[in-house]
Amino acid sequence: MTAELVRGQNHTLPQTRLEIRISAGTPVVAGATLGDEHGRVPGIEWIAHPGSPQLHGIEVSRQAAAGHRLAVDLDALPDGVHRVTVLLALPSGAGGPATFGSVASPFVAVTGLDGDEIATFTLTGLDSESAVTALELYRRQGAWKVRAVGQGYAGGLAAMLADQGVDRAAELAATIQEAVARGLARSVAPPPPRTPETDRVRHAPAPAPGGDAQPPAPPVPPAAPPQPEPLAEPAAPGGPINYAHPRRQSTAPPPPPPAAPPAEPGRPAQPVAGDATGWSMDERLYNQVWGMFEDLSRAVAAYRSAVDFAESRMDQELERTLSDPRSRIGNTGDRAREEARAKRDELTARARESLDRDLGQLAAESAVVEPALPAPYAGWDNPVWHGYRVPMEIPMALRIGDLHLPESADVRIPLLVRLPLERGMWIDSGRTASQAAALTGTDELRRLAMEAAVLHAARLLAVYPPNEFTVHVIDPAGSAARTLAPLVDSGVLASPPASGAQGVSAVLAHLTRRVDLVQMAIRAGAADSLPPDLDPAEQLLIVNDFPHGFDDRAVTQLRYLADEGPSVGVHLMMVADREEASEYGPVLDPLWRSLLRVTPVADDHLADPWVGHAWTYEPPRTPPGSAVLSDVLARVAEARRTGHR
């Protein structure tokens, strides 16, 4: 039976391998400190936080999120640890709420590995606090208990750490917040949190050999930044332009269509496309893809946690055995080592068997979902593009590549970003740490980066109705002329690529003026005050070879467009090597962080919003020898000229 705790109440823990699940109404930072019998934290090496997420016996999330799962193995904690304190804090400088009093009360649950709740605690009564001690696990007379704390700190993370006796608490708090900022910059933005009424339907997993099917763990709400209110932009004569998604609903959508017939006993249920809630098939598929993304994240997290536990248990057994002098006589030590390794191998094999079952189910689901995807969600090799027609409304999302993990290279998850775009993109043309980048020459990386930009721009043009999306290009030295040929030759660009200092200045001035005029019109409520020459379509600016050809004023304008542009329909797509802009120092850090970084070759730099795995990103590619890109752009150009599909 679950114990619903109130502040100050405690409860005995019946087991030592636990999960601490945290649900909040906004992204929060989760961490834990390890204390001695007096509750004192000896040093920073006893603190698990996003910058140092793993300690013996505990692992926390690597980034801020609205949902966390902290893995705890009390038996694996260092001998001197008598208290584990779970901390929550709001990220600083992330544009979110500044105090817990302005968000929904966080909810914390201590569960077993099977998902059954042992104790729960809702942190009510918070007001001006930006950090809070949620609960603590403590050892009393050989038994572990959990106590609900709920102590808030208006002084934030630094004050909370200082209260636990941490030296140089302010410096550590700043380090943690910096790690959180880096994590948020590389994290894929998740869809809005799902509720039980809007969650996708999951098929029950196939029973394990000789056993019954285990129910899936209760869902944890995924992380999601606060959603902005729909923005209506005053337009040129003809009415306002609404940049909110035209079909994004605020009420609960209808349930998914009936699933496939129940599977035969002992066999997995057959997956179906659209196995999620939504107002349309496109929305159901979008939610299903994100459900697969989350399922794979959590399945691999469970596997890695089990493997870590097996290794930790083996190390502890060996340490206990070898510390006994009697084990050095005869073959006792060798036998102990063999037994410890055998136990490790057994636990690892069982974990892999469970993971393979999950991967098999996800692979089967992907096999039916991928062919059913509409053009905005489909890869360039999908036959849906052969029947492409210019749409009459904006889709819910756009595919910008694929994601996979080392344990599941054959299961690829489409990376879908919501439309209208909420942040710009940075295609990193520099030499990253990935193997693919190491094997690719510098010039080839730059060419591939620009090719990726062309494919992203072409897809954006293809999924918007005629003349509702405009693309500009800045190519200061004209070095990308050959790569830009598909966009230039088809006639889909607003004007030829800008080159030279004068061309760069003209394009940036044009888009900066547009942002200024729209913002002023919105603040004044003057829907009809925009000049007739202002293009009401959403704008994309592709910038090649930055920072070459950019003076200080141009750099300032770029930063302004990155910060202010998305809210009024102006988006950046930077093709750049950060190292080449290093002379600007930290001045450009906010620019890079504001953009979603992708790469022209495979690279494991993106993180999921639930667990924080490093996912390998695969950029989009057209099939070799295919004319799909030119065919699609020709149809877009024709629709732009005639105004018809």
Side-chain angles (χ1 to χ4, degrees):
M1 183 176 178
T2 303
E4 298 181 2
L5 305 181
V6 296
R7 188 175 278 107
Q9 190 175 5
N10 60 42
H11 182 73
T12 301
L13 294 172
Q15 57 200 85
T16 56
R17 292 198 67 201
L18 309 164
E19 275 193 347
I20 299 174
R21 302 184 176 185
I22 299 163
S23 300
T26 187
V28 297
V29 182
T33 60
L34 307 183
D36 57 20
E37 62 270 23
H38 305 295
R40 189 180 66 86
V41 179
I44 61 173
E45 66 276 6
W46 287 48
I47 303 174
H49 57 81
S52 178
Q54 271 190 317
L55 300 177
H56 283 297
I58 189 163
E59 182 175 3
V60 304
S61 302
R62 291 168 170 78
Q63 60 199 57
H68 291 272
R69 288 188 180 185
L70 280 59
V72 180
D73 181 1
L74 298 173
D75 289 337
L77 294 171
D79 292 337
V81 174
H82 289 258
R83 185 175 302 176
V84 178
T85 304
V86 177
L87 318 173
L88 303 180
L90 293 169
S92 63
T99 66
F100 278 107
S102 59
V103 300
S105 298
F107 173 80
V108 183
V110 180
T111 77
L113 297 186
D114 55 4
D116 290 342
E117 291 182 345
I118 300 170
T120 64
F121 175 41
T122 302
L123 285 75
T124 58
L126 298 176
D127 185 14
S128 61
E129 299 89 346
S130 60
V132 60
T133 301
L135 52 79
E136 61 184 16
L137 313 178
Y138 63 98
R139 182 160 29 196
R140 180 68 54 83
Q141 296 178 345
W144 282 94
K145 296 183 177 183
V146 56
R147 177 186 292 122
V149 181
Q151 174 64 52
Y153 295 84
L157 189 57
M160 181 166 55
L161 293 172
D163 193 41
Q164 295 195 37
V166 177
D167 292 334
R168 305 171 72 175
E171 292 183 23
L172 177 58
T175 300
I176 294 173
Q177 293 288 9
E178 175 65 22
V180 171
R182 290 196 302 268
L184 288 173
R186 76 187 189 98
S187 176
V188 179
R194 300 194 300 269
T195 64
E197 291 76 18
T198 61
D199 202 6
R200 79 180 187 133
V201 174
R202 299 298 299 129
H203 297 300
D212 297 327
Q214 297 297 317
V220 173
Q227 298 300 309
E229 294 297 319
L231 171 65
E233 177 195 338
I241 298 171
N242 187 359
Y243 282 113
H245 189 276
R247 293 181 302 183
R248 197 168 292 164
Q249 307 289 335
S250 58
T251 56
E264 298 177 10
R267 299 187 63 184
Q270 295 301 308
V272 293
D275 180 16
T277 56
W279 292 95
S280 65
M281 188 59 172
D282 287 4
E283 187 170 355
R284 288 170 181 159
L285 287 167
Y286 170 80
N287 288 332
Q288 186 173 13
V289 168
W290 270 92
M292 293 165 59
F293 189 7
E294 182 177 359
D295 288 349
L296 183 53
S297 297
R298 300 213 182 279
V300 171
Y303 169 73
R304 292 180 180 178
S305 177
V307 171
D308 288 344
F309 169 74
E311 294 285 349
S312 174
R313 176 175 171 175
M314 181 187 70
D315 292 342
Q316 289 180 341
E317 290 180 353
L318 289 176
E319 185 177 353
R320 283 195 298 267
T321 300
L322 298 178
S323 63
D324 184 353
R326 290 173 296 180
S327 67
R328 301 168 191 167
I329 301 174
N331 60 356
T332 304
D334 293 338
R335 188 166 57 251
R337 276 190 288 269
E338 291 176 1
E339 290 175 354
R341 292 186 181 117
K343 289 180 182 178
R344 186 271 314 272
D345 293 343
E346 179 187 1
L347 290 173
T348 301
R350 284 163 51 190
R352 185 70 215 195
E353 181 181 354
S354 177
L355 176 64
D356 287 342
R357 247 191 339 265
D358 292 339
L359 294 180
Q361 187 177 0
L362 285 167
E365 188 171 11
S366 178
V368 299
V369 168
E370 190 72 45
L373 295 177
Y377 306 173
W380 286 108
D381 57 349
N382 193 309
V384 71
W385 286 105
H386 296 299
Y388 166 76
R389 296 182 67 189
V390 178
M392 298 306 293
E393 60 180 6
I394 305 171
M396 189 171 190
L398 183 82
R399 185 173 187 159
I400 62 170
D402 294 337
L403 298 171
H404 63 87
L405 291 170
E407 293 89 346
S408 59
D410 294 335
V411 180
R412 304 292 177 104
I413 303 295
L415 176 53
L416 303 180
V417 296
R418 296 193 297 271
L419 292 179
L421 295 173
E422 296 170 353
R423 61 194 294 199
M425 294 174 63
W426 163 31
I427 303 174
D428 190 350
S429 60
R431 187 172 297 282
T432 63
S434 73
Q435 182 180 6
L439 298 174
T440 308
T442 301
D443 292 341
E444 180 67 4
L445 280 174
R446 290 175 177 170
R447 185 188 66 80
L448 291 173
M450 202 60 202
E451 277 190 0
V454 168
L455 289 176
H456 291 311
R459 185 177 287 256
L460 281 162
L461 285 163
V463 303
Y464 270 76
N467 297 309
E468 291 193 17
F469 198 86
T470 301
V471 177
H472 308 266
V473 178
I474 289 179
D475 185 20
S479 58
R482 179 175 298 180
T483 310
L484 288 167
L487 297 178
V488 175
D489 295 346
S490 62
V492 296
L493 294 180
S495 58
S499 60
Q502 187 174 356
V504 171
S505 177
V507 172
L508 291 177
H510 169 73
L511 292 176
T512 301
R513 171 180 175 268
R514 185 188 188 281
V515 172
D516 290 340
L517 289 174
V518 173
Q519 285 186 334
M520 287 189 292
I522 291 174
R523 286 193 292 266
D528 300 324
S529 65
L530 290 172
D533 64 336
L534 187 138
D535 181 4
E538 288 202 49
Q539 312 285 309
L540 174 70
L541 173 60
I542 301 175
V543 177
N544 181 44
D545 215 16
F546 177 82
H548 303 298
F550 287 78
D551 56 21
D552 290 345
R553 184 170 184 271
V555 170
T556 301
Q557 288 175 314
L558 267 185
R559 289 186 55 188
Y560 176 72
L561 292 176
D563 292 340
E564 305 294 335
S567 64
V568 291
V570 177
H571 313 284
L572 278 184
M573 186 179 292
M574 302 278 292
V575 180
D577 179 356
R578 187 171 182 172
E579 289 300 317
E580 293 183 354
S582 58
E583 63 184 76
Y584 288 96
V587 172
L588 289 180
D589 285 351
L591 173 64
W592 305 121
R593 289 178 183 169
S594 69
L595 304 173
L596 174 62
R597 176 177 172 252
V598 294
T599 51
V601 294
D603 190 88
D604 58 350
H605 65 282
L606 288 177
D608 64 79
W610 305 286
V611 182
H613 293 315
W615 290 72
T616 297
Y617 167 79
E618 295 276 359
R621 294 277 188 268
T622 54
S626 171
V628 61
L629 179 61
S630 58
D631 290 346
V632 168
L633 288 176
R635 296 181 192 182
V636 171
E638 177 64 21
R640 289 169 67 90
R641 286 192 297 269
T642 64
H644 302 294
R645 299 169 66 205

